[in-house]
Every structure is written in C-alpha cells, then in structure tokens.
C-alpha cells in the first residue's frame, strides 16, 4: 500500500479539512486556557495573600482583586463553551468521514469480480465495514484530539514553568524521556496483539454469519450443540485475546505511574529548596503545584493513546486493503457502447478456462456458435464445467485461452456493465431478496409495471401460484427466498431473468426442481416470448433439451458431442445413453 494511513485518512476528510484544523486549534486553545486559572491564582496569592504587601493590596486594590476573580469565572465559562463546540466539530468530521468511507467501500465491494467474493469471507467484509471503520472514526474523533490536548496542555504548562523558573522546570522534565521509552516498548509489544485481536473478531463474525445463514442445515443435522460449541470457542478465543491486549498496558502502567508520581516529589524537594532560598515565590510554588497534573496526566495518558493508535493501525490496514482493491476484469479504455439491442449471436472460439485458485483446468478448447434466436442446451454430468462455461459469457471470469464473441465482437471490447445488462441469467443457486415477489421479479428493471411483472411470471409459469398467495405479488419473501418451495424460487428467478428482456437468456438448471408438467408449460412459453433472444439452457432432463437447436454434451470440460436430439441419439454416445435411461425410467 503506497499511501500512508494518516495521509489516506486526511484525504478522506476532504471537505472537512478547515473545520478539523479549526477544531484542533480549538483543542489547543482550551487546553492553554487551562493554565490561565493557576496563573491568575498565582497572582492572587502573590498580590493579596502571601506577598509582602498583601494586606495593603487587599485594602487598596480591591477592584483588581474582584476583577481577577471575575476573570477566572469568565474564562471557565468561555473554556467550557469552546470545549462544547470542539466536541461537536470532532464528532461531525469523524461521522462524515466514516459515512463517506463506508459508502465508498460498499461501492467497491459491489464492483468486485466473482473471485473477490470467493477470496473474502462475508464475516470478514462485515468486520471491515463495521468494527474496523469505527476504529478509523475513533482515530479522528478521539486519538488525534487526545494527542493535541496532551501536547497542548503539557507544552504550554512547561513553557509557563520555564518562564517562572527554568531550573525547576528542567528538573521536572528529567522524568519525561524515561516515560517515552516505556511507551515505545509498550507500542512494540501491543501492536501485534491488536492485529491478532482484529483477526479474531473477523473469525468470530464469520462464524456467526455462516451459522445464521446456514441455520437450516444446522437444524436438519441437529448440530446446534456443535455450532454453539464452535461459536463458544471463537468467542472465548476473542475474549482471551481482548483481555490479553487490554492487560498489556498493565505491565507498563506501574512504571509510568511511578514516574508520573515522582513529579510532585521532585517539586516538593527541589521546589521546597528553591522556596527556602527565595528562588521562587509562594505564588509560583502554588502555580507549579497546581499545574503539575497538566504535565503528569498527558504522560499517563500516552499508554491509552498508543493503545487506540495501534487499534487504528490494525483496523485501517484492513479497511485500506478493501479501499484500494481493484477488480481485475475491467473495461478496455476504448470499450464500445452497446447502443441498440444485441442480436444475440454467441461464439466460443477455442476457449479454455481454469480457476485461478486451483491448478485443475475446468474447460478445454470449447468452440461452438449459437445463432440469434437459437436455443442451445448444455448437458453433462455434475462438475463437468457447465456453470463455469456460462459464467464466462457475462465476464464473471476471463477465459485463460481463446475468445468469446457476441455479435462477432470479442466480449472484452464491450462495456462490462452493458454486456451484462443484455444477458438474463437465472443462476443455479437461486437467491431472492427479502422483498416482495413483485420487487424480486422487477429487480433488473425497476420501472416494470405490475402488468409486465405478471406477464413475465406467466412466461415462467409462476403467475398461478403467486396469485394464489394471500398477498399475491406483494407477498414478502424472506431472506434467500424463505417461504417458497425450490421450484417456486426457480420460477421467480426465471421471471426475473426474463424481465430484463435480454438478448441472451441463460438458464442454469432453472427447471430442475419443477415438475415435468410445469416444465413443459415453461418451455412452450419460452418459445413464444414477445422479444427475440438466444437461449442457453443447462439441463439434465431430455424433456428440456429435446427441442433445442443444438445440444452440447460436456465431459470433464470437453465438448464430447454436439448436435440435435435426433443426431445425438443416432450417434449412440453419452446423450443416447441418457435418453435411454430417462425415457426408460420415466416411461415416455
Ligand atoms: P453441476 O452444476 O453440479 O451440474 O456442475 P457444473 O457442470 O456446473 O460444474 P461447475 O462448472 O460448477 O464446476 C466445474 C469444476 O470447477 C468443478 O470441478 C468445480 C470447480 N469449481 C467450480 N466453481 C469453482 C470456484 O469458484 N473456484 C474453484 N477453484 N473451482 C471451482
Ligand atoms: Mg452447475
């Protein structure tokens, strides 16, 4: 990562730089104001209480006496007011930055390739969007402010001390280097712990997320006790790491505390001697003593600040990784717009493919052509590469060799977004959103009227069962389509794919869970759609492939047979055997 974390943060605070700098100056101001009270006190003491002319001054300069007291009260109010405004400013900037980064990250995630989603686990991504980002916000709102406060308070006090008596001030500073040394040692020790803690949180979130999404499997296998135990282990692990991280400071704290507590001792010893020798006045001694906390406390606070800083360090590294991640499949600089509707001609030319994270090739030298309006059926045993093949068309993945052309143009030359809009895809693993059925069908085309939604539902033989539901198209389906049968979900997913009026319709085992009767209805409907499209249909049933213009049989990533139903039966190969098997068993 090229950009440093603080620079990255600063860049993301764009639009709020001025207010943030004002807020920082505000923090300096209200801390410097802290020392005005002891300053006034010092004068009060020297002039009116313990000085040589105290009694006389009290009698003759009463207005100054009250003036100084009034100034003290006024300054206190003024300071509180600034503190208030300052807190608001820090909060505002941090929230606004958080909002901006979170939106940006979400956007980034949306635009990633399929590979990204198999690399990052959902729980980890959620941690980045929540806990990690909060640590980043905390940096803006609290850590920076605390550093400024501590520095402003300690340094303005030290300046004041130096002005009163530089020798005494120097004596008090002797302790500072030792405290800094301890803080550096602490930092080196705690930094890896924060990184580990952050990892454990992601593991914990992943465990919770996977378990909640997979609740049906857990219940089906009665694995609740196992899952509870598994989560418990993660939770314990996280709690333990959290405790260890928090307790790290305790190893250093006694030394810092002892050193900080030595300050008043130095003041008492050296300051006392100076007082006896009239090097400082009683008022000055009182000022030293009244302000010693303003040097000691920031030093005590350094541990806390360092802790939070390391938390930010670990979290921001994760956030920035996502922030700067780029999809690998991008538009070419001269990518062409798809102006009208695509004809829908698909051509695979010697396409080979393998997933990056595995060495096993999945597709070998695939070549075929689907002419506009044709139906191509793809068949083959499970794991032979059917889904992988169709995922190359919307450029979810890039072929390792060969090229894919749509309307005689290499798909890499199209704008990715537009290419995908021309394709209607009903995936094998149906996912419906927690929305109404109407909303789910119109997902790719939000401007669709209910009438049109119904039309597409009719094409996919879904209108009947949807209309029978008490709330019809307004029925809200649960997360991932809970509340619907497998076949019902498939039909809604088919309607969704049709609703974008694609030039290319891809159905990945979309009718596998519907009964033969309904499947037949769907096939008839697909033949009389009110728009032209090329169809690629992955199916295992002969009833789905029979009427295709071409059937491709895939085996271990190779096309082993290609032709029409009749041609392939005549060939007596794999397809022939499947036909025999299915018609024999199904009695057709
Ligand atoms: P199906 O749906 O069970 O009938 O099988 P197909 O033909 O759709 O198989 P497909 O294309 O999903 O998988 C082909 C091979 O590729 C199989 O060995 C599993 C592997 N594979 C699938 N998806 C991924 C992936 O995301 N990453 C890796 N590394 N391998 C994958
Ligand atoms: Mg598949």
């Amino acid at each position: 990562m090229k950009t440093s974390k603080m620079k990255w943060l600063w860049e993301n605070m764009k639009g709020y730089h001025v207010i943030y700098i004002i807020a920082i100056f505000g923090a300096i101001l209200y801390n410097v104001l802290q020392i005005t009270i002891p300053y006034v006190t010092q004068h009060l003491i020297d002039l009116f209480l313990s000085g040589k002319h105290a009694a006389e001054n009290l009698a003759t300069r009463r207005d100054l006496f009250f003036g100084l007291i009034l100034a003290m009260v006024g300054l206190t109010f003024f300071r509180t007011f600034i503190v208030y405004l300052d807190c608001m400013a820090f909060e505002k900037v941090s929230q606004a930055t958080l909002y901006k980064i979170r939106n940006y990250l979400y956007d980034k995630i949306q635009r990633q390739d399929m590979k990204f989603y198999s690399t990052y686990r959902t729980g980890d991504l959620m941690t980045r969007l929540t806990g990690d980002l909060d640590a980043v916000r905390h940096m803006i709102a609290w850590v920076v402010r605390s550093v400024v406060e501590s520095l402003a308070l300690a340094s303005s006090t030290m300046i004041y001390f130096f002005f009163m008596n530089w020798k005494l001030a120097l004596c008090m500073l002797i302790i500072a280097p030792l405290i800094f040394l301890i803080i550096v040692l602490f930092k080196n020790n705690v930094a890896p712990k924060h990184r580990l803690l952050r990892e454990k949180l992601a593991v914990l979130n992943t465990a919770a997320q996977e378990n909640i999404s997979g609740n049906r499997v857990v219940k089906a296998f009665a694995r609740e006790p196992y899952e509870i135990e598994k989560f418990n282990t993660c939770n314990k692990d996280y709690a333990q790491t959290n405790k260890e991280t928090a307790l790290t400071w305790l190893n250093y704290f006694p030394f810092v505390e002892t050193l900080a507590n030595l300050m008043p001792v130095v003041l008492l010893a050296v300051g006392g001697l100076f007082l006896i020798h009239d090097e400082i006045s009683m008022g000055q001694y009182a000022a030293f003593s009244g302000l010693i906390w303003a040097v000691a406390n920031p030093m005590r606070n350094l541990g806390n600040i360092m802790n939070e800083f390391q938390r930010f360090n670990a979290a921001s590294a994760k956030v920035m990784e996502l922030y700067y991640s780029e999809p690998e499949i991008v538009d070419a600089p001269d990518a062409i717009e798809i102006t009208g509707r695509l004809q829908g001609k698909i051509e695979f030319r010697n396409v080979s493919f393998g997933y990056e994270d595995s060495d096993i090739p999945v597709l070998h030298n695939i070549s075929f052509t689907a002419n506009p309006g044709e139906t191509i059926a793809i068949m083959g045993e499970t794991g032979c590469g059917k889904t992988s093949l169709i995922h190359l068309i919307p450029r979810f993945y890039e072929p390792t060799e060969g090229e894919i052309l749509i309307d005689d143009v290499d798909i890499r030359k199209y704008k990715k977004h537009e290419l995908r809009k021309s394709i209607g895809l009903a995936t094998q693993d149906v996912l419906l959103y927690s929305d109404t059925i109407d909303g789910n069908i119109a997902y790719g085309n939000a401007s669709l009227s209910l009438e049109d939604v119904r039309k597409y539902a009719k094409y996919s033989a879904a209108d009947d069962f949807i209309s029978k539901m008490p709330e019809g198209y307004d029925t809200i389906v649960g997360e991932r389509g809970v509340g619907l049968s497998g076949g019902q979900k498939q039909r809604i997913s088919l309607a969704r794919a049709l609703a974008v009026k694609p030039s290319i319709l891809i159905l990945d085992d979309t009718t596998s869970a519907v009964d033969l009767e309904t499947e037949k209805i769907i096939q008839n409907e697909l033949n009389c759609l009110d728009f032209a499209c090329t169809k690629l249909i992955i199916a295992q049933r002969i009833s789905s492939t029979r009427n295709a213009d071409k059937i491709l049989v895939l085996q271990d990533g190779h096309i082993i047979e290609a032709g029409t139903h009749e041609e392939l039966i005549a060939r007596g190969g794999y397809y022939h055997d499947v036909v025999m098997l299915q018609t024999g068993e199904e009695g057709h």
Side-chain angles (χ1 to χ4, degrees):
M1 228 158 288
K2 280 163 253 142
T3 322
S4 81
K5 293 180 178 117
M6 293 309 282
K7 192 169 162 226
W8 167 78
L9 196 58
W10 182 246
E11 278 166 8
N12 274 291
M13 284 159 63
K14 204 166 164 224
Y16 294 90
H17 286 165
V18 175
I19 171 165
Y20 199 63
I21 289 173
I22 293 175
I24 285 178
F25 275 105
I28 296 175
L29 179 66
Y30 70 67
N31 279 290
V32 173
L33 279 178
Q34 296 235 60
I35 61 166
T36 52
I37 309 239
Y39 176 79
V40 176
T41 317
Q42 177 211 331
H43 283 279
L44 271 175
I45 294 173
D46 282 348
L47 277 174
F48 300 105
L49 296 177
S50 71
K52 281 182 204 143
H53 311 290
E56 185 190 328
N57 283 345
L58 205 55
T60 56
R61 300 175 68 182
R62 222 155 244 260
D63 40 347
L64 180 66
F65 179 72
F66 286 117
L68 283 172
I69 288 183
L70 260 181
M72 268 168 78
V73 175
L75 278 171
T76 307
F77 275 118
F78 178 59
R79 189 177 164 275
T80 312
F81 180 63
I82 294 190
V83 171
Y84 177 82
L85 284 184
D86 225 49
C87 281
M88 299 256 286
F90 274 108
E91 204 53 39
K92 186 181 162 68
V93 176
S94 74
Q95 293 291 358
T97 311
L98 176 77
Y99 170 82
K100 201 160 84 180
I101 301 180
R102 188 176 282 147
N103 256 351
Y104 186 85
L105 289 186
Y106 190 71
D107 207 79
K108 265 273 147 108
I109 294 175
Q110 288 300 309
R111 288 169 203 284
Q112 288 296 340
D113 300 332
M114 287 266 188
K115 193 181 129 203
F116 173 91
Y117 293 96
S118 48
T119 314
Y120 291 98
R121 302 215 272 176
T122 314
D124 181 63
L125 290 177
M126 294 301 285
T127 312
R128 290 175 205 236
L129 286 179
T130 51
D132 288 343
L133 266 186
D134 195 62
V136 171
R137 189 194 72 81
H138 197 61
M139 179 76 189
I140 306 174
W142 189 87
V143 182
V144 170
R145 191 168 121 211
S146 296
V147 170
V148 171
E149 278 186 354
S150 299
L151 272 178
L153 190 61
S155 47
S156 58
T157 309
M158 281 318 296
I159 291 169
Y160 179 39
F161 282 1
F162 268 94
F163 268 107
M164 283 195 294
N165 188 300
W166 66 270
K167 285 183 225 155
L168 184 55
L170 217 55
C171 288
M172 308 204 52
L173 262 192
I174 281 173
I175 288 155
L178 285 173
I179 292 190
F180 287 130
L181 179 70
I182 295 171
I183 296 298
V184 171
L185 292 176
F186 166 65
K187 179 208 148 221
N188 293 341
N189 195 343
V190 85
K193 288 187 178 155
H194 274 288
R195 285 198 288 273
L196 189 68
L197 183 65
R198 195 263 152 221
E199 289 304 330
K200 302 264 162 158
L201 180 65
V203 170
L204 184 74
N205 282 344
T206 304
Q209 181 269 327
E210 283 182 357
N211 178 270
I212 294 167
S213 315
N215 68 82
R216 288 181 174 215
V217 180
V218 178
K219 300 228 174 297
F221 288 85
R223 291 290 270 169
E224 289 94 338
Y226 166 77
E227 287 296 333
I228 290 169
E229 183 54 39
K230 199 169 89 181
F231 185 78
N232 238 340
T233 315
C234 290
N235 199 7
K236 230 185 249 166
D237 205 20
Y238 175 65
Q240 183 63 25
T241 316
N242 218 341
K243 203 165 77 186
E244 274 169 28
T245 313
L247 292 185
T248 311
W249 177 235
L250 274 195
N251 295 333
Y252 297 84
F253 167 76
F255 300 104
V256 172
E257 194 58 29
T258 311
L259 286 171
N261 284 341
L262 272 180
M263 283 196 171
V265 180
V266 173
L267 175 67
L268 204 64
V270 184
L273 270 177
F274 279 26
L275 196 60
I276 292 167
H277 292 106
D278 256 352
E279 282 245 10
I280 54 171
S281 69
M282 188 61 207
Q284 281 175 327
Y285 184 84
F288 264 103
S289 156
L291 270 175
I292 199 146
W293 63 270
V295 184
N297 280 5
M299 292 190 178
R300 286 192 181 105
N301 211 10
L302 278 178
N304 227 343
I305 292 176
M306 188 50 80
N307 231 342
E308 290 302 317
F309 191 78
Q310 291 312 320
R311 188 161 84 93
F312 161 78
N313 245 344
S316 60
K318 293 289 172 184
V319 173
M320 284 170 74
E321 188 187 332
L322 202 57
Y323 190 94
Y324 288 111
S325 64
E326 287 298 338
E328 283 168 24
I329 302 175
V330 287
D331 286 343
D334 53 351
I336 42 177
E337 303 257 353
I338 299 176
T339 38
R341 214 180 136 74
L342 288 175
Q343 292 289 310
K345 181 179 174 197
I346 308 166
E347 189 180 350
F348 273 57
R349 278 192 197 156
N350 309 100
V351 172
S352 296
F353 171 71
Y355 290 95
E356 266 180 51
D357 53 359
S358 109
D359 297 333
I360 310 159
V362 175
L363 296 172
H364 308 266
N365 210 16
I366 302 286
S367 297
F368 71 90
T369 306
N371 288 313
E374 276 187 348
T375 300
I376 305 288
I378 303 172
M379 194 183 229
E381 50 202 37
T382 174
C384 66
K386 304 178 294 293
T387 302
S388 307
L389 186 149
I390 52 127
H391 279 178
L392 297 178
I393 302 171
R395 286 186 80 195
F396 290 161
Y397 299 95
E398 299 276 43
T400 36
E401 269 173 60
E403 52 189 344
I404 301 168
L405 299 97
I406 289 181
D407 287 3
D408 298 318
V409 176
D410 191 318
I411 53 171
R412 284 168 290 201
K413 295 208 174 109
Y414 288 119
K415 289 202 162 155
K416 191 173 68 176
H417 190 67
E418 291 182 4
L419 171 72
R420 290 179 182 169
K421 278 189 137 181
S422 306
I423 297 171
L425 173 63
T427 51
Q428 188 169 16
D429 173 19
V430 179
L431 186 134
L432 299 180
Y433 284 94
S434 329
D435 192 358
T436 57
I437 292 181
D438 175 34
N440 267 294
I441 294 180
Y443 186 73
N445 184 359
S447 60
L448 221 56
S449 66
L450 183 59
E451 203 180 310
D452 281 336
V453 167
R454 283 194 77 147
K455 181 176 80 186
Y456 295 112
K458 276 185 188 140
Y459 284 148
S460 62
D463 182 53
D464 270 358
F465 84 82
I466 299 172
S467 305
K468 278 189 201 138
M469 293 179 136
E471 292 181 60
Y473 283 81
D474 291 328
T475 310
I476 301 223
V477 292
E479 198 180 1
R480 297 182 78 88
V482 174
L484 293 172
S485 77
Q488 288 173 335
K489 278 193 267 182
Q490 284 190 337
R491 281 179 277 167
I492 292 179
S493 131
L494 172 59
R496 176 170 64 188
L498 289 170
V500 294
K501 280 192 167 196
S503 303
I504 296 166
L505 179 71
I506 302 175
L507 308 182
D508 192 350
D509 243 355
T510 305
T511 49
S512 62
V514 299
D515 58 276
L516 289 173
E517 197 60 37
T518 314
E519 188 185 31
K520 207 168 190 170
I521 300 173
I522 295 175
Q523 270 159 20
N524 289 338
E525 292 287 351
L526 287 182
N527 283 332
C528 30
L529 297 175
D530 64 354
F531 56 92
C533 75
T534 311
K535 302 175 198 93
L536 282 188
I537 299 175
I538 295 179
Q540 299 297 347
R541 290 193 198 142
I542 300 300
S543 48
S544 288
T545 58
R546 168 176 283 140
N547 296 319
D549 296 293
K550 196 186 282 169
I551 301 162
L552 306 175
V553 179
L554 230 59
Q555 194 173 56
D556 295 331
H558 296 272
I559 295 183
I560 52 161
E561 290 171 28
T564 61
H565 182 71
E566 286 73 24
E567 284 167 3
L568 292 190
I569 290 182
R571 203 167 173 268
Y574 175 92
Y575 188 78
H576 168 264
D577 295 348
V578 175
V579 172
M580 295 320 285
L581 192 72
Q582 289 192 12
T583 49
E585 275 183 13
E586 290 170 7
H588 288 287

